[in-house]
C-alpha cells in the first residue's frame, strides 16, 4: 500500500437534478489523515457533492476513485449497492447536520453506538457495551447516561453521540455536513475541539461541508470554495483564506466578523 | 335466520369462499414462499368477511390450500373454543363443508393464532399461522423500501439492536413473543406472535408451516425440516420460559405452555395447559391435576 496515493480521487463529478444543476465538473484529491473543508453559499452544490461522494446519490457523470484498505483502487459507482452499503457502515462515517437524522431516536444511546458493531457481526453483548461505554467517554458524555434515550440529550450531546456512533468501527473517511450548525457558540467550540482531537488521535480523513469559514480554518488542512455548482478556488486553508484570489472568496473572507482582531 | 335458510338453493359461495383465480394467485405466492424459506412474498390480499387482525391472512392461505377431503382444526391461543377459532371454523364449515376436528393428530390443516400445538406435527400436516405484522424490523425501521433492502442484502444488525435494548433495560432479553428467528442462515423472520416457548418447535419440523398476513399482504413459509434459529447474543443465549414448580391443574402436565386462570376475587388462581386439546387428551388417558380431582369430588 502506498500512503502517498490519494485516498479519494474525484474526477469530473457532475450531477444534474433533471435540468437543474447540482454540481459540475468537480475534481479534487483527498489524502489520508487530511481534513478537507468544502465552503460556499447555500445552493452552491456542497451537499450534492457530499451525497455523491458518499454514494447516497449516483452522479450524472464523473468518477470517485477510492483506495481500499488492501490498496486496490476502484470507482465507487462501479461497485454494487451491497458493497457500497458495507463501505458506508464500516470504512466510512456520515455525520449529519441534524443529529435526529443521523441517530436512531427510538433506542438508547448505547444501542446507537453499538448498532454498527452489531451490523458488522459483533454478537457479544458485554463487548458491545464495553465499547459503547468507552466511546461515550471519549466524546465526553457521562457514561451513566448509556441507557437513556437520545431524546433526553441536549443538542450538543446528540451531536457528540452521532460522532461516537460513526467512529465506533474505526472508519478511515468521515463525511460531515454542517456538524456545528444549529449549536450555540460555546457548544460549537467544544465540539470543534473534540473533532480536532479525535481526528488527530485516529488519523481520520474528513470531508466537512460548512458555510462557516471559522470552522474551516480551525479544522481543515485544505479548502474547496464552491459557487454555482463549480469549484472556483482550492488550496491550503491558510493560503486560500489569507490570500483569496477569486472575488467571491474575497467577499466570503471579508464578511467574517473579526472578533478580537 | 341465516342466509342459507332464506333460499332453498345451494349456497352462493365458491368452495372455501375465494374464487378459483384468487386461490391460484395465493398458491403461487405460497409456492414462491416455500422456494425461498423466510422470504416475505407480496400477494394481492382480498377483503374477507371479517376485520383485519382476526386472521384474514391465515384464512386466505387455508382457503387456497384446503380440499374437500381435508380435516381442519382451528386454534386461537391454544384453544379450539375461543371466539376467533369458533368464528373461523364456522366460516369454513359453511363455505367449504369440510370435516372439522379438535384433535391435533387427526387434522390435515391446522390454522393457528399465537400457538403451536404441544403435540409433535407430522409431515402430512400443514400449519397455517395468522400474522399481524410480518416485518420483524418494522418497529426499528419504518421505511418498507429500507427493510426490503435490508432483507435483500441480509443486513440484520438492527435486529440485534432490539435485543440489546432489552438486555440494557431489563437485564435479559425481554422479548417473549414474536421472537425473531433466522431461517436457513438467510432471512430473519417474524414467527407471528407465538410465545418464544414455541420457537424451538419451528425448527426442523416435519410439517409444512405457512404464514399469512392479510392486512400487510404478505405470505411466507417454512418448508418441512427447515433450520430455524432464534436470534441471541453469545453471552445472552436464547432460552425458553420454564415453570419448574408448575403443573397443569387439570391434567398434571409439566413443561408445557400454561394459561393462568383467576378463580376468584381473592386472587386465587390455577394454571392449565394453553393447548386445550393436549390437556383433554391427557385427561382421557387418565392423567389428572390437583383441581381436576377436587372438581370431581365437588360433583359427587
Amino acid at each position: 500500500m502506498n500512503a502517498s496515493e490519494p485516498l479519494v480521487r474525484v474526477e469530473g463529478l457532475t450531477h444534474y437534478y433533471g435540468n437543474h444543476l447540482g454540481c459540475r465538473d468537480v475534481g479534487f484529491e483527498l489524502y489520508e489523515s487530511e481534513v478537507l473543508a468544502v465552503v460556499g453559499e447555500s445552493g452552491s452544490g456542497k451537499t450534492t457533492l457530499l451525497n455523491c461522494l458518499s454514494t447516497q446519490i449516483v452522479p450524472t457523470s464523473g468518477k470517485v476513485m477510492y483506495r481500499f484498505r488492501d490498496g486496490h483502487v476502484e470507482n465507487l459507482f462501479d461497485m454494487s449497492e451491497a458493497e457500497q452499503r458495507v463501505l458506508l457502515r464500516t470504512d466510512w462515517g456520515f455525520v449529519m447536520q441534524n443529529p435526529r437524522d443521523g441517530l436512531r431516536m427510538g433506542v438508547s444511546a448505547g444501542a446507537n453506538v453499538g448498532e454498527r458493531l452489531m451490523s458488522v457481526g459483533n454478537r457479544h453483548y458485554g463487548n458491545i457495551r464495553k465499547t459503547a461505554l468507552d466511546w461515550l467517554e471519549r466524546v465526553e458524555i457521562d457514561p451513566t447516561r448509556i441507557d437513556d434515550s437520545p431524546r433526553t440529550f441536549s443538542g450538543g450531546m446528540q451531536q457528540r453521540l452521532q460522532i461516537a456512533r460513526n467512529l465506533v468501527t474505526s472508519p478511515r473517511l468521515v463525511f460531515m455536513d454542517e456538524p456545528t450548525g444549529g449549536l450555540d457558540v460555546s457548544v460549537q467550540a467544544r465540539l470543534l475541539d473534540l473533532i480536532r482531537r479525535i481526528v488527530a488521535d485516529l488519523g481520520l480523513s474528513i470531508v466537512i461541508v460548512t458555510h462557516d469559514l471559522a470552522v474551516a480554518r480551525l479544522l481543515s488542512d485544505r479548502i474547496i470554495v464552491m459557487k454555482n455548482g463549480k469549484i472556483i478556488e482550492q488550496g491550503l486553508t491558510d493560503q486560500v483564506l489569507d490570500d483569496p484570489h477569486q472575488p467571491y472568496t474575497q467577499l466570503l473572507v471579508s464578511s467574517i466578523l473579526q472578533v478580537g482582531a | 335466520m341465516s342466509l342459507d335458510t332464506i333460499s332453498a338453493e345451494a349456497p352462493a359461495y365458491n368452495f372455501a369462499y375465494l374464487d378459483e383465480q384468487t386461490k391460484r394467485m395465493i398458491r403461487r405466492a405460497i409456492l414462491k414462499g416455500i422456494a425461498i424459506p423466510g422470504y416475505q412474498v407480496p400477494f394481492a390480499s382480498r377483503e374477507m368477511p371479517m376485520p383485519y387482525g382476526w386472521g384474514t391472512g391465515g384464512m386466505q392461505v387455508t382457503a387456497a390450500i384446503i380440499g374437500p377431503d381435508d380435516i381442519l382444526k382451528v386454534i386461537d391461543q391454544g384453544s379450539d373454543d375461543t371466539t376467533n377459532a369458533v368464528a373461523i371454523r364456522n366460516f369454513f364449515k359453511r363455505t367449504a363443508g369440510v370435516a372439522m376436528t379438535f384433535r391435533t393428530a387427526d387434522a390435515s390443516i391446522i390454522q393457528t393464532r399465537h400457538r403451536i400445538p404441544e403435540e409433535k406435527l407430522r409431515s402430512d400436516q400443514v400449519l397455517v399461522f395468522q400474522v399481524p405484522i410480518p416485518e420483524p424490523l418494522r418497529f426499528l425501521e419504518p421505511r418498507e423500501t429500507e427493510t426490503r433492502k435490508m432483507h435483500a442484502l441480509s443486513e440484520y444488525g438492527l435486529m440485534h439492536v432490539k435485543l440489546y435494548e432489552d438486555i440494557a433495560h431489563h437485564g435479559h432479553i425481554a422479548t417473549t413473543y414474536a421472537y425473531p428467528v433466522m431461517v436457513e442462515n438467510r432471512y430473519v423472520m417474524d414467527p407471528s406472535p407465538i410465545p418464544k416457548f414455541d420457537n424451538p418447535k419451528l425448527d426442523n419440523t416435519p410439517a409444512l408451516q405457512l404464514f399469512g398476513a392479510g392486512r400487510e399482504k404478505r405470505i411466507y413459509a417454512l418448508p418441512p425440516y427447515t433450520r430455524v434459529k432464534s436470534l441471541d447474543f453469545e453471552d445472552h443465549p436464547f432460552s425458553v420460559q420454564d415453570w419448574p414448580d408448575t403443573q397443569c391443574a387439570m391434567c398434571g402436565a409439566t413443561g408445557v405452555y400454561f394459561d393462568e386462570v383467576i378463580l376468584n376475587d381473592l386472587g386465587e388462581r390455577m394454571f392449565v395447559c394453553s393447548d386445550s386439546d393436549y390437556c383433554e387428551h391427557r385427561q382421557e388417558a387418565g392423567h389428572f391435576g390437583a383441581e381436576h380431582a377436587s372438581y370431581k369430588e365437588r360433583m359427587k
Side-chain angles (χ1 to χ4, degrees):
Chain A
M1 184 164 51
N2 189 354
S4 64
E5 289 273 306
L7 184 66
V8 181
R9 201 171 72 242
V10 182
E11 296 168 15
L13 197 73
T14 302
H15 187 69
Y16 281 92
Y17 296 101
N19 289 324
H20 176 71
L21 176 69
C23 61
R24 187 164 65 195
D25 204 22
V26 173
F28 64 85
E29 287 173 351
L30 177 73
Y31 288 83
E32 233 157 288
S33 316
E34 187 178 44
V35 179
L36 177 74
V38 182
V39 300
E41 60 193 357
S42 50
S44 62
K46 302 185 303 265
T47 301
T48 302
L49 172 62
L50 200 66
N51 286 338
C52 284
L53 289 180
S54 57
T55 67
Q56 318 256 9
I57 52 179
V58 179
T60 315
S61 64
K63 285 197 280 193
V64 177
M65 307 302 291
Y66 179 72
R67 183 161 54 80
F68 286 80
R69 280 180 206 259
D70 63 5
H72 88 278
V73 178
E74 197 179 344
N75 184 1
L76 293 177
F77 303 105
D78 291 342
M79 291 165 48
S80 70
E81 192 182 3
E83 292 169 317
Q84 288 173 353
R85 286 171 68 108
V86 168
L87 207 55
L88 250 177
R89 63 172 192 267
T90 54
D91 249 17
W92 294 357
F94 200 110
V95 177
M96 310 242 197
Q97 174 174 8
N98 186 343
R100 283 168 202 82
D101 297 335
L103 292 172
R104 215 170 272 287
M105 298 303 283
V107 298
S108 69
N112 265 290
V113 180
E115 182 181 339
R116 272 181 165 232
L117 293 172
M118 292 181 246
S119 73
V120 297
N122 205 316
R123 293 287 179 267
H124 192 282
Y125 175 81
N127 293 349
I128 293 169
R129 196 161 171 88
K130 218 170 85 208
T131 314
L133 279 168
D134 180 44
W135 267 101
L136 288 184
E137 218 151 346
R138 286 173 81 166
V139 297
E140 299 166 17
I141 293 175
D142 180 0
T144 59
R145 308 278 314 258
I146 185 169
D147 293 332
D148 292 354
S149 157
R151 284 181 214 284
T152 65
F153 285 13
S154 69
M157 282 168 79
Q158 287 180 354
Q159 198 57 285
R160 293 202 298 276
L161 182 64
Q162 200 194 170
I163 289 172
R165 171 183 159 86
N166 274 288
L167 296 187
V168 68
T169 48
S170 329
R172 302 162 74 204
L173 174 60
V174 177
F175 302 100
M176 296 188 176
D177 191 359
E178 307 268 10
T180 57
L183 299 175
D184 72 54
V185 181
S186 62
V187 175
Q188 264 193 34
R190 192 167 161 201
L191 190 71
L192 289 174
D193 271 353
L194 180 85
I195 294 176
R196 213 146 66 138
R197 203 183 61 227
I198 289 177
V199 168
D201 281 358
L202 301 178
L204 285 176
S205 301
I206 293 188
V207 179
I208 182 168
V209 160
T210 178
H211 57 246
D212 187 342
L213 288 187
V215 170
R217 189 187 283 274
L218 206 61
L219 285 182
S220 69
D221 305 310
R222 283 196 307 127
I223 193 166
I224 286 176
V225 185
M226 289 187 74
K227 186 168 189 280
N228 296 335
K230 290 208 287 195
I231 295 183
I232 56 167
E233 190 161 0
Q234 60 175 315
L236 295 174
T237 304
D238 291 340
Q239 216 168 38
V240 172
L241 294 184
D242 291 343
D243 179 21
H245 287 194
Q246 293 291 321
Y248 174 71
T249 319
Q250 291 166 359
L251 190 77
L252 265 187
V253 171
S254 63
S255 63
I256 301 180
L257 282 176
Q258 297 292 325
V259 180
Chain B
M1 193 192 293
S2 79
L3 271 178
D4 292 342
T5 54
I6 294 174
S7 157
E9 287 174 33
Y13 291 120
N14 188 32
F15 177 76
Y17 185 73
L18 294 174
D19 61 276
E20 293 305 314
Q21 284 303 316
T22 299
K23 288 188 200 167
R24 290 181 60 179
M25 175 270 294
I26 295 173
R27 285 173 200 145
R28 278 198 292 269
I30 293 172
L31 286 174
K32 183 169 179 181
I34 293 170
I36 318 171
Y39 170 71
Q40 299 168 46
V41 185
F43 80 111
S45 175
R46 295 292 190 254
E47 199 80 23
M48 297 299 277
M50 206 178 249
Y52 286 134
W54 283 59
T56 55
M59 280 163 78
Q60 290 179 73
V61 170
T62 302
I65 60 170
I66 201 166
D69 301 332
D70 273 310
I71 304 170
L72 182 66
K73 170 181 164 79
V74 185
I75 43 180
D76 169 13
Q77 307 266 14
S79 167
D80 290 276
D81 43 20
T82 46
T83 317
N84 197 225
V86 171
I88 293 173
R89 192 161 46 237
N90 285 345
F91 175 85
F92 282 111
K93 201 178 277 173
R94 167 107 177 263
T95 59
V98 298
M100 300 288 165
T101 184
F102 284 5
R103 279 272 176 269
T104 304
D106 295 346
S108 60
I109 299 175
I110 303 169
Q111 182 173 334
T112 180
R113 168 175 182 263
H114 294 199
R115 272 315 304 279
I116 295 176
E118 303 287 355
E119 208 169 312
K120 281 229 175 337
L121 298 176
R122 302 182 313 264
S123 58
D124 59 344
Q125 293 177 310
V126 181
L127 191 58
V128 178
F129 293 81
Q130 303 167 199
V131 183
I133 295 166
E135 179 51 74
L137 301 160
R138 178 59 68 239
F139 291 108
L140 294 147
E141 177 52 68
R143 290 168 293 178
E144 175 72 16
T145 49
E146 184 67 13
T147 51
R148 280 209 212 182
K149 206 167 274 178
M150 291 161 84
H151 282 296
L153 303 177
S154 224
E155 284 180 10
Y156 290 129
L158 197 54
M159 208 64 249
H160 276 83
V161 171
K162 183 180 184 306
L163 303 181
Y164 170 96
E165 281 291 274
D166 270 359
I167 303 173
H169 291 294
H170 306 286
H172 58 98
I173 299 177
T175 304
T176 51
Y177 67 96
Y179 192 104
V181 293
M182 173 63 90
V183 178
E184 286 289 340
N185 257 326
R186 178 60 184 84
Y187 285 102
V188 164
M189 187 191 93
D190 181 342
S192 88
I194 57 171
K196 71 174 178 180
F197 180 85
D198 285 343
N199 268 21
K201 294 182 196 154
L202 294 165
D203 181 38
N204 214 26
T205 304
L208 171 65
Q209 300 175 88
L210 303 174
F211 299 77
R215 176 178 45 210
E216 303 288 326
K217 302 178 171 55
R218 295 288 185 276
I219 283 173
Y220 50 101
L222 294 173
Y225 303 106
T226 302
R227 272 180 301 149
V228 179
K229 189 182 173 301
S230 303
L231 298 180
D232 58 4
F233 283 104
E234 287 157 17
D235 47 347
H236 287 265
F238 173 80
S239 63
V240 298
Q241 302 103 319
D242 74 305
W243 303 271
D245 302 326
T246 308
Q247 42 176 267
C248 174
M250 287 296 149
C251 75
T254 55
V256 296
Y257 198 74
F258 293 110
D259 278 344
E260 182 183 4
V261 182
I262 305 290
L263 295 174
N264 54 34
D265 287 348
L266 300 171
E268 279 186 84
R269 57 192 189 161
M270 65 173 184
F271 291 95
V272 294
C273 295
S274 142
D275 185 340
S276 57
D277 169 59
Y278 179 79
C279 194
E280 272 161 33
H281 210 62
R282 277 179 56 87
Q283 290 170 37
E284 278 165 25
H287 302 282
F288 296 118
E291 293 296 319
H292 194 279
S294 64
Y295 176 70
K296 278 195 162 170
E297 270 186 12
R298 272 207 303 278
M299 297 307 280
K300 271 180 197 165

